[in-house]
Amino acid sequence: MLYAVIREANKENSNVIKKFALPLLSDAKILLTDKDIVDEFTVNFVNGLQGGTIKGRYMYLTVGFTPLDGEGEYFDRAIKVIDLRKKKLVRSIDLSKVTINEPEDIDFYKGKCLLFAGGTGGIYQAF
């Protein structure tokens, strides 16, 4: 499957997760439209959305910016964990003690959750 996470227009904390069947690479041009959506649901959290990954039934999304850019919830660095079966946000993991840099992306390697932070950050073990 292929997932898209889209911030709803004019709704600051509303994020739509859309699920698509994975298109064939042999299709020269791929244009996904609403008719291709297999499932969709909305989750609410302050959005400074960066990268993400899926492991098992959970989607892990990195959010937030470096505190040097500003203050407030929008800048809080975290990993948002979304249960794709229950279609809801189930956990928010604070990254303020992991890095002061902006979280850019996340993935799993050899059983470890690794976080890439921009700027002078690098790769960190998130959990």
Side-chain angles (χ1 to χ4, degrees):
M1 294 294 157
L2 181 66
Y3 287 84
V5 182
I6 302 162
R7 182 175 177 179
E8 285 192 282
N10 303 317
K11 295 182 181 179
E12 188 172 321
N13 299 336
S14 186
N15 306 278
V16 179
I17 297 178
K18 297 183 181 201
K19 178 180 175 182
F20 299 89
L22 192 62
L24 298 173
L25 290 177
S26 59
D27 295 339
K29 281 189 171 182
I30 299 169
L31 176 63
L32 298 173
T33 65
D34 285 348
K35 67 180 175 72
D36 299 306
I37 297 170
V38 174
D39 194 13
E40 72 179 278
F41 61 95
T42 301
V43 291
N44 296 309
F45 57 84
V46 174
N47 192 326
L49 191 58
Q50 304 291 350
T53 193
I54 295 173
K55 183 176 182 192
R57 66 189 265 185
Y58 298 100
M59 176 182 284
Y60 299 83
L61 299 172
T62 55
V63 299
F65 301 107
T66 173
L68 300 175
D69 293 335
E71 296 179 0
E73 278 187 293
Y74 196 75
F75 294 91
D76 291 344
R77 295 162 322 280
I79 298 169
K80 301 297 183 178
V81 183
I82 298 162
D83 186 319
L84 295 171
R85 287 188 197 150
K86 293 182 179 179
K87 301 179 183 179
K88 69 179 191 173
L89 177 69
V90 293
R91 187 170 177 206
S92 182
I93 302 168
D94 179 18
L95 294 175
S96 65
K97 294 193 177 30
V98 176
T99 179
I100 63 164
N101 296 64
E102 184 175 315
E104 299 288 354
D105 211 348
I106 187 171
D107 210 343
F108 290 85
Y109 180 72
K110 294 188 177 182
K112 296 178 181 173
C113 179
L114 301 177
L115 169 78
F116 173 72
T120 57
I123 297 177
Y124 300 86
Q125 184 174 335
F127 57 88

